[in-house]
Amino acid sequence: DANESKLDLDIDWPGVFKHAQSVSKTNPFWNELSGSNPFVHDIAASNRNENNKCLSILKEKPYLFSKISSNRDSLDSSGDELDIDCLLRKTSTRRSGRSKSVSDFLDIVDNQRFNPHKTAPQKTTVSDMTWLQNDREAYKMAWLSHRQLTRSCLDLEAMSHSPGWAQTQATDIHVVCKLNHEGGSVQLPDSDINIHVPVGHVLPGQFQEVGLKAILNPPLSCNNELSSTVSPLIELTLSNLNTSEAIFLEVKVAAKVKSDPLSQVMSDIVCFFSLNKEGPFKKLENCYIYQDTIQVKLTDLSHVMYAVIAIQASKIQPPATNVWDYVHRTVSVGIYGPKYIHPSFTAVFTVFGHNYIPGKLTICDIKKGGKSMPPVVFQLWGKHTFLLEKPQDLNISLISCDPDFQVKMEDQSKNIKKEELKTGEMVRQQFLFSMLGCREMHFFVFLVQIKILKSSQVTQFHVTTPDPAPKLSGIINRPKRLQNRKEIKSAPWLLIPTIKYPKFQDKTLSVKTYGVALKTVLRQNKIDYLLEYFKGDTIALLGEDKVKAIGQTKMKEWYVGVLRRKIGLVHCKNIKVIPKEQAMDTADSELTTRNLVEQIALPFKKLTYIYSVVLSTVSESVYDWRALAEVLGYSHMSLDDFNEAHIDKESERVAHVVKKMKQDCHANKKKRLFLYELIVALLKIDCQGLVARLTQDTIILTSAVKLGKSWRELAEKLARLTKQQIEAYEVPHHGKNGAVALEMMWKPAYDFLYTWAAHYGDGYRDVLQDLQSALDKMKNPVTKEWRELTGALILVNCMEVLRASAFSKMEEE
């Protein structure tokens, strides 16, 4: 299935199975049937088949958004909306289907009786309400200052001091594999955690989708005086419970029982199992242990299961004081930092209670300049393991080996208590590095020292940082293909003036291919974004790419075409494609670049957006406020028009221009629409990557609002989520009655779509196309009435012809 293959995670599947075969020569689990391990043969046989078809689908972590959405009311949300249930009611006085933003909510506040229990910002007392009611600007500022901070809303002030903080995409290491009757193995990337599925686990013709995920913090109930976890909490998901064979979990753990008789008698490596993440956990009996590897037979199968490996003692007998005294325990540490180093950055020292060290880690408690930062994804810079015989107090030091960099004085040495190590959870310490003077940025090496307090033992290793962020001048030499274009999210301030935006030229489009209509198509029920034409019409085709979308009744493939100054889709089977040289009369299919820009931006007149997100995204991505001001019609603006708060940084000047345009549109809302005019302006200064980003964001938000409770059907179609997983997405948004209110249903829908789209990386065209196809295939497609997603597909397919016609080639400096 094409849609499934596009969701494949970036994993070298052949390599995984080759690894499984190479292990068979040394690993006793792969030998023929033996008395001590009666289930080995089935697994070994199942993995000799190389033709395992492994397809990855999305079964995302449904609680991803729950941390920032606990204790929600209508004020708290994934976005910046205020009481959106009021906005979505059919009785709303706002215009239907138009863009909604902060200004619209303020109108609602003006027009309805103020309800302090529902719409008051948190921490504002009832006695404060009067001045908020009467002072519109004060109300707006109070609301903005108390809104929920989400990952999509960046703190521009904090970000400007250290541009690396713009990298806020959440990560979660997991894998899902589709296996047939022949069975196979699934390995979690970069780990020693495997699932083995024997032949005959499912019936011939049926499939099993096996999901595997590592949750870094193990359950607290499994860490006590008699028990200590030595693996991550492993989440295992199955799509098919119609099974006839058990499956096997194989984990290499970070501990080995000591060889002395007391330890051998008193302790053992065990597997705790539960159907719930929080437990209760029970000990499984079907375990086979070989040195530091345990294999567990799982017979009590469910759609979602949890397992964790632990060292368990029957009792603590002196001289032992803790279960650790019975084992040789290895401690793993990882050093994490931003993708690129900056003049000031944070490195995070992390201790894991197991030997699984992920390549990326989301840090949620970073503070910068006294402010809490949005969650940040840190990269693994270096790792190390060492033997720790018992929980002890540790002292951690990071020492720069380069005179150009230093560790902040109070961060040079930090302690980790033995009680923290006993819990088995991740323990983190942050170290702030800064550059001395105004030297050239470069990578460097620093030393990590781990001292065991009350002992002379010292472990140390060196870590090399990544390179500094790439220079902005590279933006000019980027490939023109938009599919892989990435937005520059941050840049050293001094380099920003090197960006020159091209001059928009209003001229006739340069078209290379045309289509001659083979039949007449006139629709009694007009459909937005679909062309009507007579047999023999010559239609200009804006590119060779095809769009998949539903017509009157079924899914078809379409070209984007122009006829009688209207842009729309034309069914591929209804035209004969011809080159420019064969086109006879092209007068009806001519179009200017200005008309093209104004038409392809039309969907933005009806898309829902979050103003603060749009503002921050544009502010961080546009590098010349004058260029933006000119295309927005503010060419008369000068630096004198800015107050002191907006004069220092280019991002603040850009934000000032956008805010001014927003105010002007709000003052004349019958004729002007903010998002539409902004997109037209960005297209006119060739910010196509930024437009693509805004397009995806607003389409996802609007789709969520349009879907409502139908998002459940979409989740099943798009990512094959089970009912349990769908329910998990909805739990954080439950109201007082234990269910999600209908007007709040867009929130779990948005959480799901946002997470699903993140798997596509920069492939925004695939996101829009796959979403269109999935929505079209629903029982009652929302796309029959709501065609703005089709319009967005037309927009991204017209970007190349726009660039080729409206902008002369920029001269390289």
Side-chain angles (χ1 to χ4, degrees):
D1 186 303
N3 287 350
E4 286 179 2
S5 64
K6 279 175 187 164
L7 285 169
D8 274 1
L9 296 173
D10 187 20
I11 294 167
D12 180 16
W13 286 111
V16 172
F17 290 103
K18 282 178 190 168
H19 170 71
Q21 289 171 338
S22 67
V23 167
S24 67
K25 295 171 186 171
T26 56
N27 187 335
F29 294 145
W30 299 91
N31 295 336
E32 293 302 312
L33 191 66
S34 70
S36 64
N37 192 4
F39 48 76
V40 166
H41 179 73
D42 288 342
I43 309 159
S46 73
N47 276 275
R48 295 192 188 110
N49 182 350
E50 291 186 36
N51 299 320
N52 293 292
K53 185 184 179 189
C54 297
L55 294 175
S56 163
I57 63 166
L58 171 73
K59 287 201 166 43
E60 254 304 343
K61 180 180 177 184
Y63 291 104
L64 192 61
F65 293 84
S66 61
K67 287 184 182 177
I68 53 169
S69 51
S70 57
N71 303 322
R72 287 181 180 238
D73 199 348
S74 56
L75 175 65
D76 308 321
S77 71
S78 304
D80 283 356
E81 82 300 332
L82 177 66
D83 195 15
I84 202 159
D85 51 334
C86 170
L87 178 73
L88 297 180
R89 284 193 203 108
K90 289 184 180 177
T91 57
S92 171
T93 57
R94 303 293 302 142
R95 55 192 179 275
S96 173
R98 289 288 182 88
S99 306
K100 305 296 190 296
S101 69
V102 177
S103 306
D104 297 327
F105 293 113
L106 291 170
D107 279 359
I108 293 170
V109 171
D110 287 348
N111 295 334
Q112 72 178 172
R113 180 174 163 273
F114 200 85
N115 183 344
H117 299 293
K118 190 162 192 179
T119 58
Q122 296 163 355
K123 301 181 189 173
T124 305
T125 61
V126 177
S127 61
D128 290 328
M129 290 305 153
T130 313
W131 68 272
L132 282 182
Q133 267 184 285
N134 298 334
D135 187 341
R136 184 185 184 86
E137 191 63 26
Y139 180 87
K140 183 169 75 171
M141 295 313 297
W143 173 68
L144 286 172
S145 67
H146 288 280
R147 71 163 189 248
Q148 287 288 309
L149 179 67
T150 66
R151 292 178 319 193
S152 56
C153 303
L154 302 180
D155 183 338
L156 290 175
E157 178 59 32
M159 200 180 78
S160 63
H161 291 115
S162 182
W165 299 115
Q167 300 142 9
T168 60
Q169 182 59 54
T171 58
D172 191 21
I173 305 300
H174 74 288
V175 61
V176 184
C177 191
K178 187 174 182 178
L179 303 173
N180 59 15
H181 172 72
E182 300 294 332
S185 287
V186 181
Q187 182 183 37
L188 194 71
D190 303 319
S191 79
D192 295 307
I193 301 170
N194 298 272
I195 290 291
H196 303 299
V197 179
V199 175
H201 171 70
V202 292
L203 297 172
Q206 290 192 6
F207 294 94
Q208 178 68 280
E209 284 166 0
V210 181
L212 198 54
K213 179 161 67 174
I215 299 165
L216 297 176
N217 280 331
L220 291 173
S221 61
C222 297
N223 283 282
N224 48 57
E225 289 299 311
L226 293 172
S227 171
S228 179
T229 54
V230 286
S231 82
L233 179 61
I234 300 161
E235 181 184 276
L236 174 62
T237 56
L238 300 176
S239 64
N240 186 354
L241 295 183
N242 183 23
T243 59
S244 54
E245 294 281 341
I247 62 175
F248 307 95
L249 169 68
E250 180 183 306
V251 183
K252 188 173 182 180
V253 294
K256 186 178 175 185
V257 177
K258 290 178 180 177
S259 55
D260 64 273
L262 184 63
S263 299
Q264 289 286 318
V265 169
M266 289 294 180
S267 63
D268 202 1
I269 299 177
V270 300
C271 177
F272 290 116
F273 179 84
S274 175
L275 298 181
N276 295 305
K277 189 176 177 181
E278 291 77 21
F281 286 83
K282 66 177 182 180
K283 187 172 89 171
L284 294 183
E285 300 300 329
N286 293 329
C287 297
Y288 177 81
I289 300 159
Y290 175 76
Q291 293 182 351
D292 61 351
T293 304
I294 182 169
Q295 191 182 67
V296 186
K297 184 175 183 179
L298 301 176
T299 53
D300 184 14
L301 300 182
S302 176
H303 282 301
V304 184
M305 297 164 282
Y306 296 90
V308 65
I309 312 302
I311 302 288
Q312 188 180 44
S314 52
K315 69 176 183 176
I316 306 298
Q317 183 168 317
T321 58
N322 188 283
V323 67
W324 282 49
D325 292 330
Y326 294 133
V327 294
H328 292 296
R329 180 77 180 261
T330 301
V331 170
S332 302
V333 298
I335 301 293
Y336 291 85
K339 188 174 183 181
Y340 303 112
I341 60 168
H342 298 274
S344 174
F345 65 85
T346 299
V348 179
F349 176 95
T350 308
V351 180
F352 296 95
H354 43 77
N355 59 357
Y356 174 57
I357 305 179
K360 291 181 180 179
L361 193 64
T362 303
I363 311 288
C364 300
D365 54 358
I366 292 287
K367 287 192 179 296
K368 196 135 182 85
K371 292 182 180 179
S372 293
M373 301 299 301
V376 183
V377 172
F378 274 23
Q379 319 287 320
L380 180 64
W381 285 2
K383 58 184 176 180
H384 190 75
T385 57
F386 64 98
L387 197 66
L388 189 64
E389 291 294 349
K390 60 182 178 180
Q392 297 182 70
D393 294 342
L394 304 178
N395 174 260
I396 314 301
S397 302
L398 266 60
I399 304 150
S400 173
C401 302
D402 191 306
D404 291 351
F405 293 85
Q406 70 173 13
V407 182
K408 191 178 176 183
M409 188 66 69
E410 55 266 36
D411 285 355
Q412 287 178 356
S413 177
K414 298 201 173 186
N415 293 334
I416 293 175
K417 301 285 185 187
K418 64 181 180 182
E419 285 75 18
E420 293 179 280
L421 298 176
K422 280 184 183 179
T423 65
E425 292 194 352
M426 276 191 305
V427 183
R428 298 197 300 261
Q429 290 289 356
Q430 298 174 15
F431 295 83
L432 183 66
F433 281 82
S434 58
M435 191 170 156
L436 296 170
C438 299
R439 299 179 176 91
E440 182 73 21
M441 281 290 295
H442 56 83
F443 72 87
F444 66 98
V445 176
F446 60 89
L447 178 70
V448 181
Q449 276 190 346
I450 306 166
K451 297 178 185 174
I452 297 177
L453 298 177
K454 302 177 184 176
S455 162
S456 58
Q457 184 181 345
V458 177
T459 299
Q460 62 182 36
F461 60 100
H462 287 88
V463 174
T464 303
T465 72
D467 290 322
K471 301 227 186 282
L472 261 184
S473 53
I475 196 171
I476 296 166
N477 301 321
R478 281 193 177 169
K480 287 190 176 181
R481 181 67 185 161
L482 292 167
Q483 193 71 11
N484 300 317
R485 181 176 174 130
K486 292 184 181 179
E487 275 305 299
I488 296 286
K489 290 185 180 176
S490 57
W493 160 238
L494 293 174
L495 291 176
I496 286 176
T498 61
I499 298 291
K500 286 185 180 177
Y501 288 102
K503 195 80 174 171
F504 180 78
Q505 297 164 12
D506 186 13
K507 58 183 186 182
T508 304
L509 281 186
S510 174
V511 179
K512 293 178 182 176
T513 53
Y514 290 82
V516 177
L518 302 176
K519 59 189 278 191
T520 296
V521 175
L522 296 171
R523 295 180 177 82
Q524 190 172 357
N525 298 322
K526 307 297 181 190
I527 301 177
D528 289 343
Y529 305 108
L530 300 191
L531 283 180
E532 294 184 314
Y533 39 89
F534 296 99
K535 186 176 180 179
D537 277 342
T538 302
I539 303 168
L541 303 183
L542 306 183
E544 298 172 10
D545 293 340
K546 296 175 182 176
V547 173
K548 289 180 186 172
I550 199 167
Q552 200 85 41
T553 53
K554 61 181 180 179
M555 290 274 288
K556 298 174 183 176
E557 287 195 328
W558 314 77
Y559 287 116
V560 179
V562 177
L563 185 63
R564 288 181 275 278
R565 287 183 296 285
K566 187 177 180 195
I567 301 170
L569 298 181
V570 53
H571 187 200
C572 294
K573 290 184 179 178
N574 287 352
I575 58 167
K576 179 186 177 185
V577 179
I578 57 172
K580 184 178 183 178
E581 295 72 30
Q582 294 179 17
M584 300 287 286
D585 181 12
T586 60
D588 277 352
S589 55
E590 286 184 356
L591 195 73
T592 64
T593 51
R594 183 178 62 82
N595 200 319
L596 173 70
V597 166
E598 290 169 353
Q599 278 203 59
I600 60 178
L602 282 175
F604 289 91
K605 287 189 173 184
K606 296 183 180 179
L607 290 179
T608 305
Y609 66 96
I610 300 169
Y611 172 61
S612 63
V613 177
V614 172
L615 180 64
S616 62
T617 304
V618 174
S619 301
E620 73 184 57
S621 306
V622 174
Y623 302 111
D624 183 358
W625 72 269
R626 292 182 190 277
L628 183 62
E630 191 171 330
V631 290
L632 284 172
Y634 300 127
S635 52
H636 59 277
M637 282 181 75
S638 68
L639 289 174
D640 296 334
D641 296 316
F642 296 90
N643 58 36
E644 287 184 11
H646 298 112
I647 199 74
D648 291 339
K649 298 183 183 69
E650 197 70 14
S651 63
E652 291 170 353
R653 295 174 189 167
V654 171
H656 180 76
V657 173
V658 175
K659 287 174 186 173
K660 177 169 174 52
M661 198 267 282
K662 170 69 175 170
Q663 289 167 358
D664 291 348
C665 289
H666 187 67
N668 190 9
K669 60 182 76 174
K670 288 184 179 178
K671 291 184 179 178
R672 300 185 63 182
L673 290 169
F674 164 72
L675 192 59
Y676 170 75
E677 292 195 16
L678 180 63
I679 294 296
V680 169
L682 294 174
L683 288 171
K684 285 185 176 179
I685 56 172
D686 200 29
C687 288
Q688 295 196 350
L690 174 56
V691 169
R693 188 172 158 196
L694 291 170
T695 302
Q696 180 172 309
D697 287 351
T698 50
I699 283 291
I700 284 175
L701 180 62
T702 314
S703 299
V705 172
K706 291 285 177 187
L707 278 166
K709 66 179 181 181
S710 302
W711 85 270
R712 298 165 183 163
E713 182 193 344
L714 181 73
E716 289 175 15
K717 276 190 163 53
L718 210 52
R720 298 194 178 177
L721 292 197
T722 63
K723 286 184 179 178
Q724 273 180 305
Q725 290 163 329
I726 289 170
E727 176 62 22
Y729 271 103
E730 294 184 355
V731 165
H733 308 285
H734 280 178
K736 291 176 183 176
N737 63 349
V740 183
L742 194 58
E743 62 271 16
M744 291 293 121
M745 195 60 83
W746 70 273
K747 293 182 181 180
Y750 177 79
D751 290 353
F752 164 71
L753 285 173
Y754 183 95
T755 309
W756 166 75
H759 280 259
Y760 285 76
D762 297 308
Y764 60 88
R765 289 195 191 188
D766 290 336
V767 171
L768 298 176
Q769 181 61 81
D770 290 355
L771 181 57
Q772 171 87 56
S773 299
L775 290 173
D776 283 341
K777 288 175 184 173
M778 291 175 69
K779 289 174 187 171
N780 295 303
V782 295
T783 44
K784 275 206 168 182
E785 301 297 326
W786 176 66
R787 306 295 300 205
E788 273 55 59
L789 179 48
T790 311
L793 282 168
I794 292 174
L795 163 67
V796 297
N797 276 281
C798 288
M799 282 183 168
E800 286 181 43
V801 70
L802 172 64
R803 173 169 285 165
S805 300
F807 303 102
S808 58
K809 291 185 179 178
M810 293 173 65
E811 293 182 8
E812 294 183 13
E813 294 189 0

